[in-house]
Amino acid sequence: MGVESLLVFIIIGAIAGWLAGLIVSGFGFGLVGNIIVGIVGAFIAGWLFPRIGFSIGGGVLAAIIHATIGAIILLVLVKVLKRA
């Protein structure tokens, strides 16, 4: 993986984590936290979506949507586990 790919990966993770934090109220982790939430969300969505037959498509916008949905799933799970 080149430096450019890594930079795009981090930027997409930051955007996805920030969007997920806005959608799931009560979560704000700062820049580094948003990057981590977005990247973990991308892995969750990358694992889950093919198993249920869901596909968004390709490109940067699709990657952001994909990672955001995964990050939302992650934040909702964290919120549920925090209440338990």
Side-chain angles (χ1 to χ4, degrees):
M1 179 182 290
V3 175
E4 296 87 11
S5 298
L6 184 61
L7 187 60
V8 169
F9 194 67
I10 290 172
I11 290 171
I12 288 175
I15 293 170
W18 174 70
L19 287 172
L22 289 177
I23 293 170
V24 180
S25 62
F27 284 95
F29 295 111
L31 181 62
V32 174
N34 285 343
I35 291 171
I36 293 170
V37 167
I39 291 172
V40 172
F43 281 115
I44 290 171
W47 175 80
L48 181 64
F49 288 174
R51 283 166 176 67
I52 61 174
F54 184 73
S55 176
I56 296 173
V60 175
L61 184 60
I64 292 172
I65 293 169
H66 190 93
T68 302
I69 293 170
I72 290 169
I73 292 169
L74 174 66
L75 291 180
V76 168
L77 285 174
V78 167
K79 197 173 195 178
V80 167
L81 291 175
K82 221 175 181 182
R83 285 187 181 168

